[in-house]
Amino acid sequence: MDSLMAAKLIQAFEANKHRSPKIPYEVCDHVLLSTLNWRHEYMQKKNGHVEEFMPHFNGPYVIKHAFLETSSHLLDILSTLAKCQTFYATLLKPYNENNDKLASGNNTLCKWTGYGPENDLWCPTREMEDTEALDKWEALKAERDRQRRGDERV
């Protein structure tokens, strides 16, 4: 009996390695929906093959209702897009809106000496141009690039 229980525990442990952690989605959360089962929407008319570069996720959609007992969620999705509006949690992915301030231009992650990662700050690179730390980093990066190319010039 003990060996049977041990085998079941090992089997559960190995199976759970490949499962993603459950994300507790709530009503009004924005999510992306997997296009895994929507391949028919991405068929090419000329040859009936699925497009090579189809998106992996579609959306964002808003969760209208969460059925926690079955891990399924009702999405605010047009009925013309999907025959069903309720999807299992494994087909969903949290939606993170782009931060336009970070996305525009070059930004540098500033880590402050003596402070933890919660105090790290993204700063525009133009504000960091006259700092000693950035000069050291750029010199180190240039040296590494030279070594990768096999360039011995200094």
Side-chain angles (χ1 to χ4, degrees), residues 1-11:
M1 187 70 165
D2 290 330
S3 60
L4 181 60
M5 183 58 78
K8 285 184 178 183
L9 290 173
I10 291 171
Q11 183 180 17

Side-chain angles (χ1 to χ4, degrees), residues 111-120:
K111 297 182 177 185
W112 305 101
T113 305
Y115 293 92
E118 65 278 358
N119 293 315
D120 291 353

Side-chain angles (χ1 to χ4, degrees), residues 26-52:
E26 297 177 2
V27 175
C28 294
D29 281 354
H30 288 78
V31 294
L32 298 173
L33 178 62
S34 172
T35 59
L36 181 67
N37 299 322
W38 287 20
R39 294 189 183 277
H40 63 280
E41 295 290 330
Y42 296 95
M43 286 286 191
Q44 295 179 1
K45 292 183 180 177
K46 61 182 178 186
N47 59 9
H49 292 251
V50 175
E51 290 182 18
E52 186 173 345

